[in-house]
């Protein structure tokens, strides 16, 4: 996890890490699922009128707008969050250009940067034209007649500077809809604009974008040190206590990942004030210190609220990006507490608040109905709310997992990244094209029988979605900082051009529609190629080089290193057979999801008792010694025109399909497991399939109507089949016997019930074969 001081830093995220990203233009996607999703988004970016993004900026700069051009709408409509979507759009354009070098995207982006630069200059010029520098808060949005005077030079925004400054002292503005007195995440919007400009510089080498963002950073330094100096009641520079009070505030204090851009600007300029600005965003009222100490306070009881302004539950997408920023401060400062805070925070969310899809957050009995807020720790089954997980929270969790991996190289981070990518992210874009609507999700409902809605012009998830679907290649490969190793993290059709080492690698695969991959190497010389062995592998992970099997056992949830001197034409082939498995919710084991590799399989249709009820499935009677559900319990019965597998449950004859299929059909990500008696194939023992008391649920914060600690736990059959595959029927009977003995020892079963179970297991040899 050390910051590499012995190797020159690279610009951007992970620039000092021992493992580092490739530039986006070094990796090109091939045909497949991700390319299909990407191309639909690129079509939107290609056709959407970029002039719409400048209307509100021009208004604030008192510059004219062309006739008949309106702002995008949604939250980008002149309201108090306006400007954020402009930054997302710039990032998406730069990534779309990096993909294949299509000039249409760079032309749009260059024009936007040029116009934003002119707006920035026009606003600052008003300071020299008004010696009294009295700040006027004319919030005119549509006439281009704003004439307010900025407090500090180099401000850039689609709203008056005052909407940012009023968050702090002496006014302490709060979230609301009054354009004159309220504010809405003003530093979030500043972050998105700055991020878009930095990405324009990284991905298209726009020096003008760099100039504009550095000037924005200069303004931010003044805004967060001197503050609102022209406001009556001003008492002096902002203190650490002032800043803590600002960031502890719901929504108004949301700043996205603003603290991530300033360390990058520090690295680019060498000016230490930008690192100081980044640290100004430290959320030290309560959360930062708790994260360093690994004391989970994401949800607290009403009488135990730390800090002066926060509520019982923290807003998920407010706080995940803060820790991405802490990682960036760590990378540029080497201060260990920032890394520790980020690592511990991530561990609170994953797995303790993570749904099978890789999403998080939701309401639960006794909480308010805001599904954007974190649920209490270990609460999965009772947090499956109608709205479900917010898409851009997963976008940020993936960024955080990736950044942590660059320093720790723990394969679990990449397993989590893969799950979020191939479910929440790919599932967030509708499988159709549109020139005027991004067709993205906000929430992705988890309630059984719910459907996804697509659209989200101007929203946060509409913005991050434009980014997600134009950067699929960013984590497929990573490299060691010293150039000695290539990390293959994702199985995605793609070609890597690593010119600095003379190597190129072409990956051919249909993953996640298929479970093999072929890598063809161009170049020669020594190189460690590290292949991720997914944690979900159940049937082996077989690797050959030039047709020869590689020695050693590939451990699921790790990396397999191929260390050799390569030559042009060498071929690596990987087989990682998919299997169907089920995962149980942490707090209620009978609430389960079906997975095919990393992909959640959703049951299609409205449950028989209506939306909100669960499909009930009995599956154990279909299992054989290998424990593979795909043999009989949930079988592959078809393929869509796009090549996506379709499955059918033996119980109920229900259709299940990959989560990433994105239409508006009613679907269910979870079902209820109903296994009333102990059965082995068609042999029913007549003994109830009782549960072990694991004290579930065991919540840190109460859930109304739910006893905690409870008496729930996995069933007898759950625990038996957790031990599969079985090498022989004898091994199966031994597992049944040992599990039954444990149930007798705890008083769950009687000795006679155990004897019946074990006897029937012994008689089931033909059934289990």
């Amino acid at each position: 996890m050390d910051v590499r001081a012995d190797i020159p830093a690279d610009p951007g995220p992970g620039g000092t890490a021992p493992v580092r990203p490739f530039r986006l233009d070094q990796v090109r996607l091939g045909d497949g699922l991700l390319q299909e999703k990407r191309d639909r988004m690129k079509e939107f970016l290609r056709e959407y009128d970029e002039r719409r993004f400048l209307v509100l900026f021009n208004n604030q700069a008192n510059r004219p707008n062309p006739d008949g051009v309106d702002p995008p709408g949604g939250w980008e409509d002149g309201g108090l969050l306006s400007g954020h979507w402009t930054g997302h759009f710039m990032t998406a354009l730069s990534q779309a250009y990096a993909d294949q070098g299509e000039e249409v995207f760079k032309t749009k982006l260059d024009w936007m940067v040029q116009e934003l630069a002119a707006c920035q200059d026009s606003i600052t010029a008003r300071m020299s034209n008004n010696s009294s520098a009295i700040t006027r808060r004319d919030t005119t949005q549509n006439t281009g007649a704003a004439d307010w005077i900025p407090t500090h030079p180099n401000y850039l925004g689609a709203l008056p500077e005052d909407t940012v400054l009023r968050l702090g002292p002496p006014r302490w503005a709060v979230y609301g809809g009054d354009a004159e007195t309220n504010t809405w995440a003003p530093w979030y919007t500043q972050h998105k604009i700055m991020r878009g400009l930095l990405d324009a510089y990284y991905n298209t080498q726009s020096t003008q974008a760099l100039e504009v963002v550095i000037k924005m950073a200069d303004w931010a330094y003044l805004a967060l040190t001197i503050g609102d100096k022209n406001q009556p009641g001003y008492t002096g520079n902002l203190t650490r206590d002032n800043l803590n009070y600002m960031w502890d505030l719901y929504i108004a204090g949301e700043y996205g990942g603003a603290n991530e851009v300033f360390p990058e600007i520090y690295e680019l300029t060498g000016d230490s004030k930008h690192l100081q600005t980044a640290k100004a965003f430290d959320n030290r009222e309560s959360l930062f210190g708790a994260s360093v100490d690994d004391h989970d306070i994401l949800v607290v009881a009403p009488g135990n609220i730390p800090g002066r302004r926060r509520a019982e539950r923290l807003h998920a997408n407010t706080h995940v990006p803060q820790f991405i920023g802490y990682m960036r401060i760590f990378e540029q400062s080497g201060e260990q507490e920032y890394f520790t805070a980020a690592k511990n925070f991530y561990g609170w969310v994953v797995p303790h608040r993570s749904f099978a899809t890789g999403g998080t957050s939701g309401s639960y009995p006794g909480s308010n109905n805001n599904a954007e807020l974190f649920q209490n720790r270990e609460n999965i089954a009772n947090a499956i709310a109608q709205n479900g997980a917010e898409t851009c929270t997963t976008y940020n969790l993936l960024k955080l997992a990736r950044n942590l991996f660059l320093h720790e190289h723990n394969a679990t981070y990449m397993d989590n990244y893969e799950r979020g990518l191939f479910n929440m992210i790919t599932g967030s874009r509708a499988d159709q094209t549109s020139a005027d609507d991004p067709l993205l999700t906000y929430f992705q409902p988890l309630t059984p029988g719910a459907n996804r809605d697509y659209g989200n012009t101007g929203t946060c998830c509409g913005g991050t979605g434009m980014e997600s679907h134009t950067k699929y290649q960013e984590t497929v490969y990573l490299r060691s900082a010293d150039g000695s190793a290539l990390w293959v993290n994702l199985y995605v059709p793609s070609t890597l051009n690593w010119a600095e080492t003379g190597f190129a690698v072409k990956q051919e695969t249909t993953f996640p529609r298929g479970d093999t991959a072929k890598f063809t190497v161009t170049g020669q010389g020594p190189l460690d190629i590290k292949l991720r062995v997914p944690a979900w592998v159940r049937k082996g992970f077989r690797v050959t080089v030039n047709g020869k099997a590689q020695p050693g056992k590939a451990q699921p949830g790790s990396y397999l290193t191929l260390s050799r001197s390569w030559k042009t034409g060498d071929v690596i082939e990987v087989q990682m057979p998919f299997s169907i498995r089920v995962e149980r919710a942490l707090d209620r084991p009978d609430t389960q999801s079906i997975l095919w590799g990393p992909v959640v399989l959703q049951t299609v249709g409205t449950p028989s008792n209506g939306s909100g009820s669960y499909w009930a499935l009995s599956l154990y009677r279909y299992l054989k010694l290998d424990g593979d559900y795909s043999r009989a319990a949930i079988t592959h019965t078809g393929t869509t025109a796009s090549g996506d597998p379709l499955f059918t449950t033996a119980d109920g004859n229900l259709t299940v399909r990959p989560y990433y299929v994105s239409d508006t059909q009613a679907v269910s990500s979870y079902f209820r497991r109903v296994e009333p008696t102990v059965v082995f194939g068609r042999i029913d023992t007549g003994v109830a399939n009782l549960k072990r008391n694991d004290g579930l649920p065991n919540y840190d914060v109460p859930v109304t109507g739910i006893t905690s600690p409870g008496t729930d736990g996995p069933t007898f059959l759950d625990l038996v089949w957790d031990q599969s595959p079985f090498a022989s029927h004898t091994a199966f009977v031994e597992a049944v016997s040992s599990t039954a003995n444990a149930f007798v020892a705890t008083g769950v079963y009687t000795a006679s019930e155990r004897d019946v179970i074990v006897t029937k297991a012994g008689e089931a040899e033909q059934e289990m074969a």
Side-chain angles (χ1 to χ4, degrees):
M1 70 182 70
D2 294 336
V3 173
R4 295 300 299 261
D6 55 331
I7 297 175
D10 296 323
T16 63
V19 172
R20 300 183 185 177
F22 288 100
R23 298 190 316 273
L24 286 181
D25 65 356
Q26 290 181 274
V27 182
R28 180 166 292 189
L29 292 182
D31 293 346
L33 173 68
L34 302 190
Q35 177 246 29
E36 294 162 11
K37 300 276 185 176
R38 177 207 67 190
D39 285 353
R40 294 186 189 107
M41 185 54 65
K42 284 175 67 175
E43 181 64 18
F44 169 77
L45 296 171
R46 184 180 287 110
E47 297 298 326
Y48 199 80
D49 187 350
E50 66 276 15
R51 297 178 302 168
R52 301 179 68 175
F53 291 98
L54 267 295
V55 171
L56 299 174
F57 287 87
N58 283 335
N59 288 349
Q60 298 309 318
N62 204 7
R63 300 176 72 234
N65 280 307
D67 292 337
V69 177
D70 296 316
W75 297 349
E76 196 78 7
D77 63 351
L80 285 170
L81 201 68
S82 295
H84 75 114
W85 232 52
T86 303
H88 289 301
F89 195 77
M90 287 193 293
T91 290
L93 285 176
S94 75
Q95 293 173 171
Y97 173 74
D99 178 45
Q100 295 183 16
E102 295 172 81
E103 283 297 325
V104 60
F105 301 113
K106 188 173 187 301
T107 298
K108 285 171 169 273
L109 180 59
D110 286 347
W111 179 84
M112 290 181 70
V113 171
Q114 177 183 326
E115 293 297 301
L116 289 171
C119 290
Q120 187 180 49
D121 290 343
S122 295
I123 292 171
T124 299
R126 293 207 290 262
M127 295 183 71
S128 60
N129 296 333
N130 190 307
S131 58
S132 64
I134 297 173
T135 302
R136 281 184 278 179
R137 297 185 297 280
D138 182 344
T139 55
T140 302
Q141 303 298 334
N142 298 311
T143 66
D147 61 353
W148 50 269
I149 308 302
T151 300
H152 304 293
N154 297 316
Y155 172 76
L156 176 63
L159 297 169
E161 177 195 44
D162 186 71
T163 60
V164 184
L165 297 180
R166 70 176 69 146
L167 174 66
R171 286 174 288 171
W172 305 111
V174 298
Y175 172 56
D178 188 324
E180 294 296 329
T181 61
N182 292 131
T183 193
W184 182 1
W187 286 101
Y188 173 99
T189 298
Q190 285 292 300
H191 168 240
K192 302 313 170 192
I193 299 168
M194 296 181 76
R195 180 77 268 166
L197 290 164
L198 273 174
D199 289 336
Y201 172 67
Y202 293 147
N203 295 325
T204 73
Q205 294 75 55
S206 171
T207 56
Q208 187 174 37
L210 181 61
E211 292 168 2
V212 174
V213 77
I214 290 173
K215 289 199 281 187
M216 289 185 72
D218 291 341
W219 172 85
Y221 173 77
L222 297 174
L224 290 172
T225 53
I226 297 173
D228 199 3
K229 67 177 183 177
N230 294 330
Q231 179 65 31
Y234 176 77
T235 60
N237 284 11
L238 274 70
T239 65
R240 179 72 260 171
D241 186 68
N242 293 155
L243 294 166
N244 293 344
Y245 196 63
M246 289 162 61
W247 311 139
D248 205 37
L249 181 63
Y250 172 71
I251 296 298
E254 179 178 3
Y255 60 74
N259 51 347
E260 74 163 346
V261 296
F262 297 101
E264 295 178 37
I265 295 170
Y266 161 66
E267 193 276 330
L268 291 167
T269 64
D271 190 337
S272 61
K273 75 180 180 186
H274 300 306
L275 194 57
Q276 181 183 339
T277 303
K279 293 180 179 180
F281 288 96
D282 289 1
N283 191 355
R284 290 182 181 265
E285 180 76 2
S286 61
L287 185 58
F288 185 89
S291 301
V292 173
D293 295 339
D294 201 14
H295 174 49
D296 185 344
I297 60 169
L298 297 184
V299 179
V300 297
N304 194 32
I305 298 176
R308 290 167 285 180
R309 302 177 95 184
R310 64 159 283 181
E312 291 95 334
R313 297 201 290 153
L314 291 181
H315 185 266
N317 200 48
T318 292
H319 293 92
V320 177
Q322 294 177 0
F323 291 84
I324 298 169
Y326 296 150
M327 287 298 298
R328 208 71 75 250
I329 294 172
F330 164 70
E331 289 170 349
Q332 294 301 329
S333 72
E335 295 177 47
Q336 186 65 36
E337 66 174 350
Y338 289 96
F339 178 88
T340 301
K343 177 181 177 180
N344 288 340
F345 171 86
Y346 183 83
W348 299 348
V349 181
V350 184
H352 300 290
R353 293 174 169 88
S354 293
F355 301 116
T357 59
T360 188
S361 75
S363 302
Y364 54 89
S367 75
N368 61 27
N369 62 359
N370 187 346
E372 295 184 9
L373 307 185
F374 280 118
Q375 74 271 38
N376 54 321
R377 189 177 175 107
E378 312 294 348
N379 186 352
I380 303 300
N382 285 303
I384 300 176
Q386 177 62 37
N387 280 332
E390 184 179 352
T391 304
C392 57
T393 305
T394 299
Y395 157 91
N396 280 310
L397 279 171
L398 265 58
K399 290 179 70 173
L400 182 54
R402 177 181 188 256
N403 211 157
L404 287 164
F405 178 86
L406 298 179
H407 295 273
E408 283 205 326
H409 332 318
N410 184 336
T412 300
Y413 291 127
M414 283 301 161
D415 284 321
N416 296 336
Y417 186 102
E418 177 187 60
R419 179 175 293 217
L421 181 72
F422 283 110
N423 292 289
M424 285 285 292
I425 299 302
T426 53
S428 70
R429 179 57 169 81
D431 292 335
Q432 62 188 83
T433 58
S434 173
D436 57 10
D437 190 323
L439 294 178
L440 294 160
T441 58
Y442 194 99
F443 292 112
Q444 295 189 30
L446 292 165
T447 299
N451 64 282
R452 288 178 228 158
D453 293 324
Y454 303 91
N456 282 287
T457 294
T459 70
C460 54
C461 293
T464 57
M466 291 190 292
E467 297 182 29
S468 290
H469 298 287
T470 51
K471 64 168 186 174
Y472 278 124
Q473 71 269 44
E474 71 169 358
T475 309
V476 177
Y477 310 100
L478 298 170
R479 59 186 175 86
S480 61
D482 63 6
S484 64
L486 173 67
W487 299 73
V488 180
N489 307 298
L490 299 172
Y491 296 97
V492 172
S494 54
T495 300
L496 165 68
N497 181 13
W498 194 359
E500 296 86 346
T501 62
F503 279 106
V505 176
K506 181 178 182 181
Q507 180 182 171
E508 298 171 87
T509 180
T510 59
F511 191 100
R513 293 163 172 155
D515 53 12
T516 63
K518 174 183 176 183
F519 300 85
T520 303
V521 176
T522 300
Q524 60 184 24
L527 180 68
D528 288 349
I529 296 181
K530 296 177 178 290
L531 302 171
R532 186 173 66 88
V533 185
W536 46 260
V537 164
R538 296 290 185 275
K539 296 181 178 180
F541 185 87
R542 294 179 284 280
V543 179
T544 64
V545 176
N546 299 329
K548 183 178 180 181
Q550 297 303 289
K553 182 178 180 181
Q555 182 66 36
S558 69
Y559 280 79
L560 178 68
T561 300
L562 303 177
S563 184
R564 58 185 285 147
S565 184
W566 302 91
K567 64 182 185 301
T568 296
D570 282 345
V571 173
I572 305 165
E573 293 183 278
V574 176
Q575 293 179 304
M576 44 188 157
F578 284 6
S579 61
I580 287 182
R581 67 190 191 284
V582 296
E583 289 187 356
R584 303 190 288 266
L586 297 174
D587 52 337
R588 181 168 174 168
D590 69 348
T591 302
Q592 301 182 358
S593 54
I594 305 168
L595 289 99
W596 172 249
V599 179
V600 171
L601 296 180
Q602 292 188 302
T603 307
V604 179
T606 303
S608 54
N609 291 327
S611 180
S613 63
Y614 287 83
W615 291 107
L617 296 178
S618 299
L619 301 172
Y620 281 133
R621 65 180 180 268
Y622 302 105
L623 296 189
K624 306 301 181 183
L625 291 179
D626 58 9
D628 185 354
Y629 283 80
S630 63
R631 283 187 58 178
I634 305 170
T635 55
H636 184 196
T637 51
T639 305
T640 69
S642 299
D644 302 312
L646 298 174
F647 302 83
T648 302
T649 63
D651 183 20
N653 196 37
L654 304 175
T655 298
V656 294
R657 69 179 192 188
Y659 188 95
Y660 59 73
V661 176
S662 301
D663 56 28
T664 58
Q665 289 196 66
V667 288
S668 302
S669 297
Y670 286 90
F671 69 96
R672 283 277 160 80
R673 192 67 171 265
V674 179
E675 305 281 359
T677 59
V678 176
V679 296
F680 306 117
R682 289 170 293 180
I683 296 177
D684 190 332
T685 67
V687 177
N689 181 34
L690 299 179
K691 297 178 179 180
R692 184 177 70 188
N693 182 354
D694 281 5
L696 299 177
N698 190 6
Y699 298 138
D700 59 341
V701 173
V703 175
T704 299
I706 304 296
T707 301
S708 175
T711 59
D712 204 355
T715 69
F716 174 81
L717 286 176
D718 290 337
L719 295 168
V720 168
W721 287 106
D722 282 350
Q723 302 171 65
S724 65
F726 300 103
S728 64
H729 190 71
T730 299
F732 171 72
V733 174
E734 289 174 353
V736 170
S737 179
S738 63
T739 306
N741 284 333
F743 271 51
V744 170
T746 55
V748 179
Y749 282 146
T750 64
S752 60
E753 288 172 323
R754 174 200 58 199
D755 293 344
V756 170
I757 291 171
V758 174
T759 298
K760 292 295 185 181
E763 296 172 356
E765 183 168 5
Q766 187 172 356
E767 286 290 318
M768 308 305 295

